[in-house]
Amino acid sequence: MILASIAMPGYMWHQQNPYGAAAQIRSVLLTFACLALLWSVPRGCWFAVRQTWISRHAVGLLTVLVLPLPWVLPFVGSFLQFLYVEDAFGIPADSVSTPVYWTGAAALLPTLGCIGLLLPPLALYGWARHFHWAWEKSIVSVVSTVAAVVLVVTGGVAFMSRTSDAAHRAARDVVNATAPDFYFGIQGARICVQPLESKLSVHNGPLPTDRPLLAFSTDGDVLYLWDPARFREHGGPDPVMSVRSAEVSTYAVSDGQSRCPARP
Protein backbone atom coordinates (compact mmCIF):
# COMPACT_ATOMS: atom_id res chain seq x y z
CA MET A 1 0.00 0.00 0.00
CA ILE A 2 2.89 2.35 0.73
CA LEU A 3 4.46 1.62 -2.66
CA ALA A 4 1.11 2.08 -4.43
CA SER A 5 0.41 5.36 -2.63
CA ILE A 6 3.81 6.66 -3.76
CA ALA A 7 3.64 5.36 -7.32
CA MET A 8 0.02 6.19 -8.23
CA PRO A 9 0.22 10.01 -7.96
CA GLY A 10 3.37 10.02 -10.09
CA TYR A 11 1.75 7.70 -12.62
CA MET A 12 -1.36 9.89 -12.87
CA TRP A 13 0.81 13.00 -13.17
CA HIS A 14 2.66 11.39 -16.08
CA GLN A 15 -0.59 10.21 -17.75
CA GLN A 16 -2.12 13.70 -17.63
CA ASN A 17 1.07 15.42 -18.84
CA PRO A 18 -0.24 16.17 -22.38
CA TYR A 19 -3.35 17.90 -20.97
CA GLY A 20 -1.58 20.60 -18.97
CA ALA A 21 -0.73 21.37 -15.36
CA ALA A 22 -4.37 21.88 -14.29
CA ALA A 23 -5.32 18.38 -15.41
CA GLN A 24 -2.22 16.97 -13.73
CA ILE A 25 -3.01 18.64 -10.40
CA ARG A 26 -6.65 17.57 -10.59
CA SER A 27 -5.72 13.95 -11.32
CA VAL A 28 -3.18 13.85 -8.48
CA LEU A 29 -5.70 15.29 -5.99
CA LEU A 30 -8.29 12.76 -7.13
CA THR A 31 -5.73 9.98 -6.73
CA PHE A 32 -4.94 11.09 -3.18
CA ALA A 33 -8.66 11.20 -2.37
CA CYS A 34 -9.16 7.65 -3.70
CA LEU A 35 -6.15 6.37 -1.76
CA ALA A 36 -7.47 8.05 1.39
CA LEU A 37 -10.82 6.31 0.93
CA LEU A 38 -9.13 2.96 0.28
CA TRP A 39 -7.29 3.36 3.58
CA SER A 40 -9.94 4.99 5.76
CA VAL A 41 -13.03 2.95 4.81
CA PRO A 42 -11.67 -0.55 5.65
CA ARG A 43 -9.98 0.75 8.79
CA GLY A 44 -13.13 2.54 9.89
CA CYS A 45 -15.17 -0.63 9.33
CA TRP A 46 -12.67 -2.51 11.50
CA PHE A 47 -13.05 0.10 14.26
CA ALA A 48 -16.83 -0.29 14.02
CA VAL A 49 -16.87 -4.05 14.60
CA ARG A 50 -13.79 -4.40 16.83
CA GLN A 51 -14.53 -5.68 20.33
CA THR A 52 -18.25 -5.93 19.60
CA TRP A 53 -20.79 -8.73 19.40
CA ILE A 54 -20.07 -8.93 15.65
CA SER A 55 -16.34 -9.59 16.10
CA ARG A 56 -16.96 -12.18 18.81
CA HIS A 57 -19.40 -14.10 16.61
CA ALA A 58 -17.78 -13.37 13.24
CA VAL A 59 -17.57 -17.00 12.09
CA GLY A 60 -21.20 -17.79 12.86
CA LEU A 61 -22.42 -14.47 11.46
CA LEU A 62 -20.46 -14.95 8.24
CA THR A 63 -22.01 -18.39 7.84
CA VAL A 64 -25.52 -16.98 8.33
CA LEU A 65 -24.86 -14.27 5.75
CA VAL A 66 -23.24 -16.53 3.15
CA LEU A 67 -25.63 -19.50 3.27
CA PRO A 68 -28.68 -17.63 1.89
CA LEU A 69 -26.72 -16.31 -1.12
CA PRO A 70 -27.45 -19.36 -3.37
CA TRP A 71 -31.16 -18.50 -2.97
CA VAL A 72 -30.95 -14.72 -2.78
CA LEU A 73 -28.79 -14.18 -5.87
CA PRO A 74 -31.05 -16.18 -8.25
CA PHE A 75 -34.09 -14.35 -6.85
CA VAL A 76 -32.55 -10.92 -7.42
CA GLY A 77 -31.27 -11.96 -10.86
CA SER A 78 -34.69 -13.33 -11.85
CA PHE A 79 -36.29 -10.07 -10.74
CA LEU A 80 -33.89 -8.03 -12.90
CA GLN A 81 -34.49 -10.33 -15.86
CA PHE A 82 -38.23 -9.92 -15.26
CA LEU A 83 -37.78 -6.14 -15.46
CA TYR A 84 -35.83 -6.52 -18.70
CA VAL A 85 -38.15 -8.95 -20.53
CA GLU A 86 -41.64 -8.64 -19.10
CA ASP A 87 -41.80 -5.13 -17.72
CA ALA A 88 -40.14 -3.45 -20.71
CA PHE A 89 -41.25 -5.67 -23.62
CA GLY A 90 -44.38 -7.33 -22.21
CA ILE A 91 -43.10 -10.84 -22.99
CA PRO A 92 -43.57 -13.38 -20.15
CA ALA A 93 -40.28 -13.86 -18.36
CA ASP A 94 -40.85 -17.61 -17.91
CA SER A 95 -40.88 -18.04 -21.70
CA VAL A 96 -37.19 -17.05 -21.85
CA SER A 97 -34.82 -19.69 -20.53
CA THR A 98 -31.44 -18.50 -19.26
CA PRO A 99 -28.62 -20.48 -17.62
CA VAL A 100 -28.64 -20.26 -13.85
CA TYR A 101 -25.11 -18.83 -13.74
CA TRP A 102 -26.22 -15.84 -15.82
CA THR A 103 -29.12 -15.28 -13.42
CA GLY A 104 -26.63 -15.21 -10.55
CA ALA A 105 -24.29 -12.94 -12.49
CA ALA A 106 -27.13 -10.46 -13.08
CA ALA A 107 -27.60 -10.19 -9.32
CA LEU A 108 -23.93 -10.18 -8.36
CA LEU A 109 -23.18 -6.59 -9.37
CA PRO A 110 -26.23 -5.05 -7.57
CA THR A 111 -25.51 -7.15 -4.47
CA LEU A 112 -21.85 -6.12 -4.34
CA GLY A 113 -22.83 -2.53 -5.08
CA CYS A 114 -25.29 -2.38 -2.18
CA ILE A 115 -22.71 -3.98 0.13
CA GLY A 116 -20.19 -1.39 -1.03
CA LEU A 117 -22.65 1.41 -0.27
CA LEU A 118 -23.01 0.07 3.27
CA LEU A 119 -19.29 0.40 3.99
CA PRO A 120 -18.90 4.23 4.11
CA PRO A 121 -21.60 4.73 6.80
CA LEU A 122 -20.14 1.81 8.76
CA ALA A 123 -16.68 3.37 8.47
CA LEU A 124 -18.09 6.71 9.61
CA TYR A 125 -19.48 5.07 12.73
CA GLY A 126 -16.20 3.19 13.28
CA TRP A 127 -14.08 6.35 13.20
CA ALA A 128 -16.53 8.11 15.51
CA ARG A 129 -16.37 5.15 17.86
CA HIS A 130 -12.57 5.09 17.66
CA PHE A 131 -12.32 8.74 18.73
CA HIS A 132 -15.01 8.26 21.40
CA TRP A 133 -17.47 10.45 19.57
CA ALA A 134 -20.16 7.77 19.52
CA TRP A 135 -21.74 5.26 21.79
CA GLU A 136 -24.68 2.93 21.40
CA LYS A 137 -27.41 5.58 21.45
CA SER A 138 -25.54 8.53 20.02
CA ILE A 139 -26.62 10.65 17.10
CA VAL A 140 -23.73 9.27 15.04
CA SER A 141 -25.17 5.76 15.29
CA VAL A 142 -28.58 6.98 14.16
CA VAL A 143 -27.15 9.02 11.29
CA SER A 144 -24.96 6.12 10.14
CA THR A 145 -27.92 3.71 10.17
CA VAL A 146 -30.18 6.12 8.28
CA ALA A 147 -27.42 6.85 5.76
CA ALA A 148 -26.84 3.11 5.20
CA VAL A 149 -30.56 2.47 4.60
CA VAL A 150 -30.84 5.43 2.24
CA LEU A 151 -27.76 4.38 0.28
CA VAL A 152 -28.92 0.77 -0.08
CA VAL A 153 -32.39 1.84 -1.26
CA THR A 154 -30.83 4.35 -3.64
CA GLY A 155 -28.47 1.68 -4.97
CA GLY A 156 -31.33 -0.77 -5.52
CA VAL A 157 -33.35 1.84 -7.39
CA ALA A 158 -30.29 2.79 -9.46
CA PHE A 159 -29.67 -0.81 -10.54
CA MET A 160 -33.36 -1.27 -11.41
CA SER A 161 -33.17 1.90 -13.48
CA ARG A 162 -30.01 0.56 -15.11
CA THR A 163 -31.87 -2.59 -16.15
CA SER A 164 -34.77 -0.57 -17.55
CA ASP A 165 -32.33 1.62 -19.50
CA ALA A 166 -30.72 -1.50 -21.00
CA ALA A 167 -34.17 -2.73 -22.09
CA HIS A 168 -35.02 0.65 -23.64
CA ARG A 169 -31.71 0.64 -25.53
CA ALA A 170 -32.52 -2.84 -26.82
CA ALA A 171 -35.95 -1.68 -27.99
CA ARG A 172 -34.37 1.31 -29.72
CA ASP A 173 -31.86 -0.96 -31.45
CA VAL A 174 -34.63 -3.20 -32.76
CA VAL A 175 -36.59 -0.18 -34.02
CA ASN A 176 -33.42 0.88 -35.85
CA ALA A 177 -33.14 -2.58 -37.47
CA THR A 178 -30.22 -3.68 -35.30
CA ALA A 179 -29.88 -6.74 -33.07
CA PRO A 180 -30.06 -5.84 -29.35
CA ASP A 181 -27.10 -6.31 -27.06
CA PHE A 182 -26.64 -9.37 -24.88
CA TYR A 183 -27.96 -8.95 -21.32
CA PHE A 184 -26.95 -11.59 -18.76
CA GLY A 185 -28.07 -14.66 -20.68
CA ILE A 186 -30.85 -12.90 -22.59
CA GLN A 187 -30.19 -12.43 -26.29
CA GLY A 188 -32.91 -11.01 -28.47
CA ALA A 189 -32.93 -11.91 -32.16
CA ARG A 190 -34.60 -10.26 -35.12
CA ILE A 191 -36.43 -12.96 -37.02
CA CYS A 192 -38.87 -13.30 -39.88
CA VAL A 193 -41.87 -15.55 -39.41
CA GLN A 194 -43.57 -17.58 -42.13
CA PRO A 195 -46.80 -19.52 -41.49
CA LEU A 196 -46.83 -23.23 -42.21
CA GLU A 197 -50.62 -23.45 -42.21
CA SER A 198 -53.35 -21.36 -43.77
CA LYS A 199 -55.02 -20.67 -40.42
CA LEU A 200 -52.98 -19.56 -37.46
CA SER A 201 -54.00 -19.28 -33.83
CA VAL A 202 -52.35 -15.90 -33.26
CA HIS A 203 -52.96 -14.02 -30.02
CA ASN A 204 -53.15 -10.26 -30.60
CA GLY A 205 -52.79 -10.75 -34.36
CA PRO A 206 -52.58 -10.38 -37.25
CA LEU A 207 -49.09 -11.82 -37.60
CA PRO A 208 -46.88 -9.59 -39.77
CA THR A 209 -44.76 -11.62 -42.18
CA ASP A 210 -43.27 -8.76 -44.20
CA ARG A 211 -41.02 -7.28 -41.49
CA PRO A 212 -38.63 -8.67 -38.84
CA LEU A 213 -39.89 -9.17 -35.30
CA LEU A 214 -38.05 -9.53 -32.02
CA ALA A 215 -37.97 -12.87 -30.20
CA PHE A 216 -36.01 -13.80 -27.08
CA SER A 217 -36.56 -17.55 -27.39
CA THR A 218 -37.82 -19.92 -30.08
CA ASP A 219 -37.55 -23.16 -28.10
CA GLY A 220 -40.93 -23.29 -26.35
CA ASP A 221 -44.31 -24.45 -27.57
CA VAL A 222 -45.47 -20.83 -27.79
CA LEU A 223 -43.46 -18.22 -29.68
CA TYR A 224 -43.69 -14.69 -28.28
CA LEU A 225 -42.91 -11.90 -30.72
CA TRP A 226 -42.44 -8.15 -30.30
CA ASP A 227 -43.27 -5.88 -33.23
CA PRO A 228 -41.19 -2.66 -33.46
CA ALA A 229 -43.64 -1.16 -35.98
CA ARG A 230 -46.48 -1.39 -33.48
CA PHE A 231 -44.18 -0.02 -30.77
CA ARG A 232 -43.63 3.13 -32.83
CA GLU A 233 -47.38 3.70 -33.06
CA HIS A 234 -48.13 5.33 -29.70
CA GLY A 235 -51.60 4.40 -28.57
CA GLY A 236 -51.83 1.63 -31.16
CA PRO A 237 -52.19 -2.13 -30.65
CA ASP A 238 -50.05 -4.05 -28.19
CA PRO A 239 -46.68 -4.84 -29.85
CA VAL A 240 -46.56 -8.33 -28.25
CA MET A 241 -48.17 -11.28 -29.99
CA SER A 242 -47.89 -15.03 -29.62
CA VAL A 243 -48.32 -18.02 -31.90
CA ARG A 244 -47.76 -21.74 -31.58
CA SER A 245 -44.22 -22.62 -32.64
CA ALA A 246 -45.38 -25.66 -34.62
CA GLU A 247 -47.47 -23.46 -36.91
CA VAL A 248 -44.67 -21.20 -38.17
CA SER A 249 -41.10 -21.30 -39.38
CA THR A 250 -38.55 -18.67 -38.41
CA TYR A 251 -35.22 -17.48 -39.74
CA ALA A 252 -32.88 -14.76 -38.55
CA VAL A 253 -32.13 -11.57 -40.48
CA SER A 254 -29.00 -9.46 -40.56
CA ASP A 255 -28.57 -5.96 -39.17
CA GLY A 256 -29.99 -3.24 -41.35
CA GLN A 257 -32.51 -5.52 -43.03
CA SER A 258 -35.94 -3.97 -42.47
CA ARG A 259 -38.03 -6.20 -44.75
CA CYS A 260 -38.56 -9.92 -44.93
CA PRO A 261 -37.97 -11.39 -48.38
CA ALA A 262 -40.96 -13.13 -49.91
CA ARG A 263 -40.69 -16.91 -49.79
CA PRO A 264 -42.68 -19.40 -51.83
Side-chain angles (χ1 to χ4, degrees):
M1 291 183 64
I2 294 175
L3 290 176
S5 62
I6 295 174
M8 282 302 297
Y11 175 77
M12 295 304 299
W13 180 275
H14 175 73
Q15 288 295 107
Q16 299 296 323
N17 185 49
Y19 306 105
Q24 289 176 302
I25 295 173
R26 186 167 55 248
S27 65
V28 170
L29 292 177
L30 182 61
T31 303
F32 277 122
C34 292
L35 291 174
L37 285 176
L38 289 175
W39 177 81
S40 62
V41 170
R43 191 163 179 82
C45 293
W46 168 244
F47 289 149
V49 301
R50 185 180 60 178
Q51 297 178 355
T52 62
W53 179 89
I54 296 176
S55 62
R56 291 193 297 269
H57 301 83
V59 176
L61 185 62
L62 185 62
T63 304
V64 171
L65 293 176
V66 170
L67 283 179
L69 288 181
W71 290 271
V72 173
L73 289 180
F75 173 78
V76 176
S78 299
F79 177 72
L80 294 177
Q81 291 173 342
F82 167 85
L83 287 179
Y84 185 89
V85 176
E86 190 160 345
D87 186 66
F89 291 96
I91 296 176
D94 55 3
S95 66
V96 182
S97 60
T98 56
V100 65
Y101 54 84
W102 277 119
T103 303
L108 189 60
L109 183 60
T111 303
L112 293 178
C114 290
I115 293 175
L117 290 175
L118 281 172
L119 298 181
L122 182 63
L124 173 65
Y125 172 75
W127 281 107
R129 183 171 179 262
H130 177 68
F131 290 108
H132 305 288
W133 295 340
W135 50 91
E136 293 302 323
K137 297 182 180 180
S138 68
I139 187 63
V140 178
S141 302
V142 176
V143 171
S144 300
T145 303
V146 172
V149 173
V150 170
L151 285 175
V152 170
V153 172
T154 303
V157 172
F159 281 108
M160 291 170 57
S161 177
R162 181 174 176 268
T163 301
S164 298
D165 291 342
H168 293 154
R169 286 194 302 270
R172 185 170 60 248
D173 291 339
V174 177
V175 170
N176 295 329
T178 306
D181 293 332
F182 181 84
Y183 179 81
F184 292 106
I186 301 175
Q187 178 62 70
R190 299 173 62 246
I191 62 173
C192 288
V193 182
Q194 293 294 328
L196 298 177
E197 302 176 2
S198 57
K199 294 183 178 180
L200 297 177
S201 54
V202 182
H203 176 71
N204 194 30
L207 179 67
T209 59
D210 59 339
R211 58 181 180 268
L213 306 174
L214 174 67
F216 288 106
S217 177
T218 58
D219 298 333
D221 295 333
V222 179
L223 178 62
Y224 289 91
L225 302 165
W226 186 82
D227 188 2
R230 291 186 183 181
F231 177 74
R232 287 195 297 263
E233 299 174 1
H234 298 287
D238 189 357
V240 180
M241 64 199 76
S242 60
V243 62
R244 293 184 61 84
S245 300
E247 298 178 353
V248 295
S249 65
T250 62
Y251 58 93
V253 296
S254 58
D255 289 347
Q257 186 176 345
S258 59
R259 307 295 296 178
C260 293
R263 291 198 168 189

